[in-house]
């Protein structure tokens, strides 16, 4: 009994106690009590023993049989305890789309070669933030607005600003943004954000802004 109980410990931890254990215990107690009485009778030469002896042996047999029957009934057919499923992962909150007119990001003069529309790697890394935002918000549309410093004629700067804004739009498209979601325009030198009298100020003015529509 001890060996059987020890071998069943792990299994008992995985099953829920139910009516199988009760039924097995009752059946085991009946068999154990009957067997105890019969063995006592046989031991006494078939004439039976004293009533107290028979009662004691039968009781012991009933207890032992009940324990074994309970354990066997539990191990054989009591339902297996199943762990509850883990809770579903919390949904990842997507960033809310920006309001129309919000500047999402911008790349400035140092992100372009001088007098050119080629975007440098650092400028592309800044644009990647705008790309992620547009992927998370498939209805978001933007406009790329090109600006320049005051060096050169108005017509030339308007054209240069358009080229740089077009380069930004082309990069967004190359990363999977639909062309229909991007407008392009140039403000040329008409909207400076710093003084054109210094090199630093002119670098600030050379920029492309991405603005939500």
């Amino acid at each position: 009994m001890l060996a059987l109980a020890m071998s069943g410990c792990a299994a008992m931890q995985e099953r829920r106690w139910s009516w199988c254990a009760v039924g097995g215990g009752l059946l085991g107690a009946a068999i154990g009590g009957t067997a105890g009485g019969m063995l006592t009778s046989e031991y006494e030469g078939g004439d039976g023993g004293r009533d107290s002896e028979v009662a004691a042996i039968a009781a012991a047999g009933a207890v032992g049989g009940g324990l074994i029957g309970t354990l066997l009934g539990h191990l054989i057919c009591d339902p297996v305890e199943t762990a509850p499923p883990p809770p579903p992962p919390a949904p990842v909150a997507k960033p809310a789309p920006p309001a129309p007119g919000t500047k999402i990001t911008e790349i400035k003069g140092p992100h372009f070669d001088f007098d050119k529309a080629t975007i440098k790697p650092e400028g592309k890394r800044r644009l990647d933030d705008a790309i992620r935002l547009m992927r998370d918000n498939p209805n978001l549309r933007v406009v790329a607005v090109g600006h320049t410093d005051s060096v050169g004629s108005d017509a030339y700067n308007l054209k240069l600003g358009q080229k740089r804004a077009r380069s930004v739009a082309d990069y967004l498209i190359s990363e999977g943004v639909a062309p229909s979601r991007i407008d392009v325009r140039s403000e040329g030198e008409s909207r400076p954000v710093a003084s054109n009298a210094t090199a630093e100020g002119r670098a600030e003015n050379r920029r492309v802004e991405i603005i939500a529509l």
Side-chain angles (χ1 to χ4, degrees):
M1 289 174 56
L2 180 59
L4 183 60
M6 293 178 64
S7 65
C9 284
M12 285 194 295
Q13 293 173 355
E14 298 173 358
R15 291 181 177 272
R16 179 166 51 85
W17 289 94
S18 185
W19 291 108
C20 283
V22 176
L26 294 175
L27 182 60
I31 294 173
T34 302
M38 293 176 62
L39 288 174
T40 302
S41 177
E42 290 297 326
Y43 180 75
E44 296 291 340
D47 297 328
R50 293 192 302 273
D51 290 342
S52 60
E53 291 179 343
V54 173
I57 298 299
V63 172
L67 290 174
I68 294 176
T70 299
L71 180 59
L72 289 176
H74 177 66
L75 296 179
I76 292 172
C77 67
D78 272 346
V80 176
E81 195 74 62
T82 57
V92 179
K94 294 183 178 180
T102 302
K103 182 169 68 175
I104 297 173
T105 190
E106 70 176 4
I107 55 176
K108 298 184 178 181
H111 301 139
F112 293 99
D113 289 328
F114 177 73
D115 200 30
K116 295 185 183 297
T118 304
I119 307 173
K120 294 182 178 180
E122 178 59 29
K124 292 180 179 179
R125 283 192 286 271
R126 296 194 61 155
L127 292 176
D128 289 341
D129 292 336
I131 292 169
R132 283 189 289 270
L133 183 63
M134 296 187 74
R135 286 174 179 166
D136 290 337
N137 297 275
N139 295 323
L140 175 63
R141 296 182 64 251
V142 299
V143 57
V145 185
H147 302 270
T148 70
D149 58 28
S150 61
V151 177
S153 67
D154 290 350
Y156 179 83
N157 286 331
L158 197 64
K159 186 176 180 180
L160 179 60
Q162 183 76 14
K163 286 181 179 180
R164 287 180 169 173
R166 182 73 259 170
S167 292
V168 168
D170 288 343
Y171 179 71
L172 299 184
I173 293 170
S174 72
E175 294 298 312
V177 180
S180 59
R181 300 174 62 192
I182 311 168
D183 290 345
V184 175
R185 75 167 185 261
S186 173
E187 299 285 350
E189 62 182 80
S190 63
R191 291 180 55 197
V193 292
S195 172
N196 281 305
T198 65
E200 292 79 8
R202 291 191 293 272
E204 289 289 318
N205 292 331
R206 295 192 299 268
R207 67 197 190 278
V208 176
E209 299 172 332
I210 298 181
I211 300 172
L213 291 177

